[in-house]
Amino acid sequence: MKRRTFLKSAAALTGTAAVAAPAIAQSLPTIKWRATSSFPKSLDITYGAAEQFCRQVGELTDGKFTIQQFAAGELVPGLQAMDAASNGTVEVAYTGTLFYVGKDPTFALAASVPFLMNPRQQHGWYYHGGGLEMTNAFFKSYNIYGLPCGNTGMQWGGWFRKEIKSIADLSGLKMRIAGLAGTIAARVGVVPQQIAPGDIYPALERGTIDAVEYIGPYDDEKLGFQKVAQRYYTPGWQEGGTLFHALINLSKWNELPPLYRKAVEVAAQAATTDMLAHYDTKNPEALASLLSQGVTVSLFPQEVLDRLYQEAEAYYKEVTATNAEFAKIFNSQREFQRKNNMYHRVADFQYDLMMLRFKR
């Protein structure tokens, strides 16, 4: 009798569990979104980070919530990705917000600006320094919600056909340079060009531009810049490390069930970490390859860096006096940077000096 009673109870429990699991799954809607990218498929790390993001959202929701990504130009041009998400043409734009400084220079602060935070500082500020809340308060007026979804790491200064010996050598130079870096460069005579990643090489090859900065050795080699310009300069004063974003139509974001929102947040943060690790692995290999092809790697003259820094500081002073949104975010980032620099100059910098001493 006891055995029969136990079996009946077990069967009842099993039946309840079998009914409960589908009931929970059935309560979640099936949602299909589209994402447009600012990047071509040939940039496998940049484009691939967004592919990873879309795939993981689907995996975390058992396929109930899927996002299909499209490359630059397949739905809209690369530099119109944010507009497409804002107006609801697509639900998501995978892009760099620095591409949209023509609308408001504050957009660049969400990605990277000259002489400000490095990648570690960016991550700290975004996730634990109030950055996510501040940038989304700004994005709200554009009907988007943004999440960091990739970081390039430290960038390089760019490719030039001629040697840069002084600040005078930049005068009249037509250069593809993105974000606020273009604004700063213009103050020393550069003629900045805003060109989508997939269109840079043809412009350089045809001579439409004389120089270009993009990301770093891995992507730069894939885009073929070394075939046209053999002088490669560092450091990347213009972007200490650029955060890319998943920009989501705000109305669509607000409609998502909490579980789906959490899946998006987790997948975006994972993509950010993975992209940085990917570039840290591939860039050293690519730099060695570029050197073997005869590329000349040079440091910008100190005179050039000093002048660019002075112009950047002057610009920041001007714009913070007139743009309250810019001032709020910039001042927060600058203070976060100062505090972090104090610590890292003691810890990281001294460690690096020690390892240089041991030639490691």
Side-chain angles (χ1 to χ4, degrees), residues 5-338:
T5 302
F6 171 79
L7 291 172
K8 288 180 181 179
S9 299
L13 286 170
T14 302
T16 302
V19 172
I24 293 172
Q26 289 168 10
S27 69
L28 293 173
T30 297
I31 296 177
K32 295 182 179 181
W33 279 5
R34 296 189 305 169
T36 188
S37 177
S38 288
F39 307 100
K41 292 180 180 179
S42 59
L43 296 175
D44 57 321
I45 296 181
T46 310
Y47 187 85
E51 284 188 314
Q52 173 189 322
F53 162 72
C54 294
R55 182 179 66 252
Q56 289 187 341
V57 168
E59 292 170 350
L60 290 168
T61 60
D62 286 334
K64 300 285 284 184
F65 176 27
T66 57
I67 305 174
Q68 182 180 5
Q69 184 182 212
F70 294 86
E74 290 184 341
L75 297 179
V76 297
L79 297 184
Q80 295 177 24
M82 187 191 77
D83 296 316
S86 177
N87 63 32
T89 301
V90 296
E91 289 81 9
V92 186
Y94 186 74
T95 187
T97 58
L98 77 171
F99 296 150
Y100 309 103
V101 293
K103 300 177 185 292
D104 191 314
T106 310
F107 274 108
L109 291 170
S112 185
V113 299
F115 301 104
L116 211 60
M117 298 188 296
N118 64 30
R120 288 179 64 182
Q121 292 166 350
Q122 288 172 327
H123 288 179
W125 179 78
Y126 252 106
Y127 297 124
H128 299 286
L132 196 60
E133 294 77 13
M134 274 187 272
T135 51
N136 275 307
F138 168 70
F139 291 153
K140 187 174 182 180
S141 61
Y142 291 87
N143 194 38
I144 50 176
Y145 183 84
L147 290 168
C149 196
N151 195 317
T152 66
M154 299 299 293
Q155 297 209 0
W156 280 59
W159 297 83
F160 298 79
R161 284 194 173 92
K162 66 177 185 178
E163 185 179 1
I164 305 301
K165 298 178 181 179
S166 69
I167 199 70
D169 291 322
L170 296 178
S171 183
L173 202 72
K174 292 175 291 185
M175 183 176 185
R176 186 275 178 188
I177 183 167
L180 285 190
T183 304
I184 306 305
R187 294 169 72 109
V188 300
V190 172
V191 182
Q193 308 290 313
Q194 186 85 294
I195 303 174
D199 299 326
I200 300 173
Y201 179 81
L204 186 64
E205 185 181 40
R206 291 194 301 265
T208 306
I209 56 176
D210 306 306
V212 56
E213 65 81 24
Y214 185 55
I215 289 180
Y218 183 71
D219 281 339
D220 292 359
E221 183 182 30
K222 288 183 75 68
L223 290 172
F225 300 151
Q226 75 281 4
K227 299 174 185 176
V228 183
Q230 283 277 301
R231 295 187 178 275
Y232 199 22
Y233 276 83
T234 189
W237 63 272
Q238 75 285 355
E239 297 168 48
T242 300
L243 277 168
F244 293 132
H245 272 73
L247 298 179
I248 303 165
N249 179 276
L250 185 58
S251 300
K252 292 296 183 181
W253 172 257
N254 289 334
E255 292 172 2
L256 283 181
L259 178 64
Y260 289 4
R261 287 193 203 177
K262 180 56 66 175
V264 170
E265 292 168 352
V266 169
Q269 192 164 357
T272 301
T273 302
D274 189 70
M275 179 191 280
L276 186 58
H278 209 165
Y279 274 122
D280 283 345
T281 302
K282 293 295 185 180
N283 275 330
E285 298 172 359
L287 180 60
S289 173
L290 290 170
L291 290 171
S292 72
Q293 296 174 55
V295 168
T296 299
V297 173
S298 303
L299 295 175
F300 281 118
Q302 193 59 47
E303 172 202 341
V304 171
L305 295 175
D306 287 346
R307 179 68 184 282
L308 288 166
Y309 178 78
Q310 292 164 8
E311 294 297 339
E313 289 299 299
Y315 173 80
Y316 295 145
K317 185 176 181 179
E318 293 165 10
V319 75
T320 53
T322 58
N323 186 322
E325 291 282 1
F326 186 98
K328 180 180 179 181
I329 296 175
F330 175 81
N331 289 332
S332 174
Q333 290 185 346
R334 173 57 61 85
E335 182 61 22
F336 194 90
Q337 180 190 38
R338 284 174 176 158

